Amino acid sequence: VKGQKLAGLSFVLTGSLESMSREKAKEKIRAFGGNVNESVSKITSYVVAGREPGSKFDKAQKLGVKIIDEKEFLQLLTK
């Protein structure tokens, strides 16, 4: 078990990631105790924005949800 460092956090992925597939990213989030959602809401902790993010990026901005890039996402996983 890798620990629960992302427990209680909720993530939405948008755009394409360079270092892994979105499915792999979802697996990693879940392995660390986080939740993955398909849509952005006020309870979303982070939106991980890859290349060419879509409408989820815009919605996150409107709702004031924290948007992180792939590098920041990887740092969260390795902290």
Side-chain angles (χ1 to χ4, degrees):
V1 175
K2 296 173 181 169
Q4 299 291 301
K5 66 173 94 178
L6 301 181
L9 297 177
S10 151
F11 292 81
V12 173
L13 303 170
T14 183
S16 54
L17 303 177
E18 292 182 24
S19 65
M20 67 185 84
S21 68
R22 281 170 61 164
E23 281 309 309
K24 188 73 180 161
K26 289 176 185 179
E27 285 173 25
K28 286 183 178 290
I29 291 166
R30 291 183 183 119
F32 285 110
N35 292 313
V36 179
N37 296 313
E38 292 304 316
S39 60
V40 179
S41 71
K42 288 182 181 142
I43 63 162
T44 304
S45 307
Y46 296 101
V47 170
V48 181
R51 276 194 325 273
E52 298 177 24
S55 60
K56 294 174 189 175
F57 182 87
D58 300 330
K59 187 167 182 188
Q61 285 184 312
K62 283 190 185 105
L63 293 175
V65 172
K66 184 159 176 60
I67 299 168
I68 60 174
D69 62 19
E70 185 172 356
K71 183 178 167 198
E72 291 170 294
F73 171 63
L74 294 172
Q75 286 170 343
L76 271 182
L77 296 179
T78 57
K79 271 186 187 170

